[in-house]
Amino acid sequence: DGASGRRLATRRMLKSSLTVGLNTLASRILGLVRDVVIATSFGASAGIDAFLVAFRIPNFLRRLFAEGAFSQAFVPVLSEYKTTRGHEDVRNLAAHVFGALGGALFLVTLIGVVGAPVLVTIFAPGFIGEGEKFPLTVEMVRITFPYLLFVSLTSFAGGMLNTYGRFGVPAFTPVLLNLSLIGAAFWLAPRFSQPVVALAWGVLIAGVIQLAFQIPFLYQLRLLVAPRFKRGHEGVARVFKLILPAVFGVSVSQINLLVDTLIASFLVTGSVTWLYYSDRLLEFPLGVFGIALATVILPNLSRQHAEGSTEDFSNTIDWALRLTLAIAIPAALGLAVLAVPLLTTLFQYRAFGPGDVHMASLSLMAYSLGLAGFIGIKILAPGFYARQDMRTPVRIAVVAMLSNIVLNLTLVVPLAHAGLALATSLSAFINAGLLYRALRRDGIYRPRAGWLGFGLRVLLASLAMLAALLWFKGDPDGWFAAELGERISRLALLIVLGVMSYFGVLAALGMKVRALLGPGRAG
């Protein structure tokens, strides 16, 4: 019947989310290893500031156009073709999108390499006149920028694999970037007169490997196509018509982070690095849970919209929002309370000292406050993209972006780099709140019963976890003085304590795990 069908579909989404989440977890763990390697090798130096800016420029464009606007525009159209047309039509669409996307990316890459000095001037104007910092950043931008071409085509392939239910392959692909950068730090860096430049080459090598990795899986699905060019192709025109407005709608958080970098380039040396490492820790729960959910629900929402299943569409959003609340609240509190233990255990070695830990912990606590907002955007925005409505999230994104700029300028003076992180968090809540209001106003999302009881239980369990962590975490000096083995064991025990106290209180309050397995079961 309808109810059993909904439960089956939800279990499939949960299983797919788990697959994506576990692969993303592997990527995030290796990402932390990568960051530990970079932190211990280069510290919070001028060279690593230059690399982080050089990497962030193509990485920002990748998230903006590839994983952001392009994926959100391409997947709904591809899902519609898959649902309503034959496989040859799907192949034809993929070939023509490949041709148009590849041609546009080649031109953008060429412009980026030639115009690297202009890009560095725009994204890090504070580097001008800072000795070798500016020319070093320009050199590394020219090396890393072609990564945009390869990783965008990787995202194009991943969009097709996700549409056909192969979620694990695209989720695993980022692991290859982390392995490449670790290898570059260990084996390439000693061979360069400026060792940090090896990291830039590691980024470029990773882009080639990531694209090659997905090719066999496309071949299995008969989706490995050669690029074709045809002016006026109906599907391509629809995809690219949706891309430009989607640029703002899905990537405001990335734009905000770049604004943070721009302003941070005027602050004391190390500010860019402190923001980077705190953002990396925030990306851990955001990637494992938020992006995993968003990756899975977009093809499902697109299919439900194509089939006209308005109730299932609303239920999917409701289920994702419940999971968001249940995960984001305790994760945010845990990041804030364990900021110093996490940063000390992972990064406080050699060149990265206690002072760097303290400064990075301030921005991590500020970023953690916005975790629910960041994940909420990932869940709510697909409610519009799946319906091929880009205008509404664009208007909301512009409001959120302008709010972030105003908050940045207001908070950076009293709070320095931590003020930039706090401004980003506050603007994320503005974005998510406006998206939620629009979905409710237009009748797209109708919350099911049980939200009040569900929310109260999550809040009480989160507060119990917070109290337990505050009681047992210890003071910062103890963490700074501890050896690596002691740090790891203490941190592991704190994480286990937090998880057990949270889920233990949830169980004591009568919430069962199955309450999160399907819509409307959390009452």
Side-chain angles (χ1 to χ4, degrees), residues 15 112 118 126 136 154 181 246 256 288 302 305 313 384 400 409 457 518:
K15 181 180 178 181
V118 177
L136 180 60
T154 300
L181 283 171
N256 289 343
V288 172
S302 300
H305 176 67
F313 192 99
F384 297 95
L409 297 175
R457 289 167 183 160

Side-chain angles (χ1 to χ4, degrees), residues 210-230:
Q210 286 176 310
L211 178 59
F213 174 71
Q214 303 214 27
I215 290 176
F217 300 97
L218 290 177
Y219 180 80
Q220 290 177 359
L221 294 173
R222 294 179 55 240
L223 289 172
L224 185 61
V225 295
R228 298 175 63 183
F229 301 90
K230 177 184 177 182

Side-chain angles (χ1 to χ4, degrees), residues 111-423:
I111 293 170
V113 171
V114 173
V118 177
L119 288 172
V120 176
T121 301
I122 293 172
F123 288 103
F127 286 5
I128 299 174
E130 288 282 324
E132 290 296 313
K133 206 170 186 180
F134 184 87
L136 180 60
T137 307
V138 170
E139 177 188 355
M140 288 194 284
V141 166
R142 286 182 168 143
I143 298 169
T144 59
F145 206 90
Y147 173 74
L148 172 66
L149 170 64
F150 294 107
V151 81
S152 296
L153 293 177
T154 300
S155 181
F156 163 67
M160 291 190 285
L161 293 172
N162 285 336
T163 301
Y164 279 77
R166 301 289 185 91
F167 294 103
V169 176
F172 177 80
T173 302
V175 167
L176 302 174
L177 170 64
N178 296 322
L179 291 174
S180 181
L181 283 171
I182 292 170
F186 277 128
W187 293 293
L188 285 184
R191 293 169 170 79
F192 282 80
S193 58
Q194 290 182 300
V196 74
V197 176
L199 297 177
W201 284 106
V203 171
L204 179 58
I205 293 168
V208 177
I209 295 173
Q210 286 176 310
L211 178 59
F213 174 71
Q214 303 214 27
I215 290 176
F217 300 97
L218 290 177
Y219 180 80
Q220 290 177 359
L221 294 173
R222 294 179 55 240
L223 289 172
L224 185 61
V225 295
R228 298 175 63 183
F229 301 90
K230 177 184 177 182
R231 292 188 61 184
H233 186 280
E234 181 265 343
V236 176
R238 287 173 57 194
V239 170
F240 280 85
K241 181 180 179 181
L242 297 173
I243 283 179
L244 288 179
V247 166
F248 285 103
V250 300
S251 303
V252 166
S253 62
Q254 297 308 311
I255 295 173
N256 289 343
L257 286 174
L258 273 178
V259 172
D260 293 352
T261 302
L262 186 151
I263 298 176
S265 70
F266 290 98
L267 303 177
V268 297
T269 295
S271 295
V272 172
T273 305
W274 299 327
L275 284 168
Y276 171 78
Y277 285 125
S278 54
D279 176 57
R280 287 292 299 158
L281 285 176
L282 178 76
E283 287 285 336
F284 200 91
L286 180 59
V288 172
F289 301 115
I291 296 176
L293 280 172
T295 299
V296 170
I297 67 169
L298 178 59
N300 283 279
L301 289 174
S302 300
R303 174 182 54 79
Q304 290 161 354
H305 176 67
E307 294 172 348
S309 304
T310 56
E311 183 179 358
D312 289 342
F313 192 99
S314 177
N315 289 342
T316 297
I317 295 175
D318 191 87
W319 168 76
L321 286 176
R322 290 177 191 264
L323 276 180
T324 296
L325 184 69
I327 293 166
I329 300 301
L333 292 174
L335 278 176
V337 174
L338 300 180
V340 169
L342 284 166
L343 289 161
T344 303
T345 303
L346 294 170
F347 303 124
Q348 192 215 313
Y349 309 102
R350 290 165 56 184
F352 199 89
D356 294 313
V357 170
H358 171 70
M359 299 301 282
S361 70
L362 297 177
S363 48
L364 176 56
M365 287 187 285
Y367 274 138
S368 68
L369 295 177
L371 182 61
F374 295 129
I375 298 180
I377 295 169
K378 300 290 185 185
I379 300 304
L380 295 167
F384 297 95
Y385 302 133
R387 301 169 62 250
Q388 300 178 35
D389 171 13
M390 302 296 175
R391 292 184 179 182
T392 302
V394 164
R395 290 195 296 267
I396 292 172
V398 170
V399 172
M401 185 170 59
L402 293 175
S403 300
N404 180 65
I405 293 172
V406 172
L407 289 167
N408 269 329
L409 297 175
T410 303
L411 297 173
V412 70
V413 175
L415 300 176
H417 69 290
L420 302 179
L422 180 58

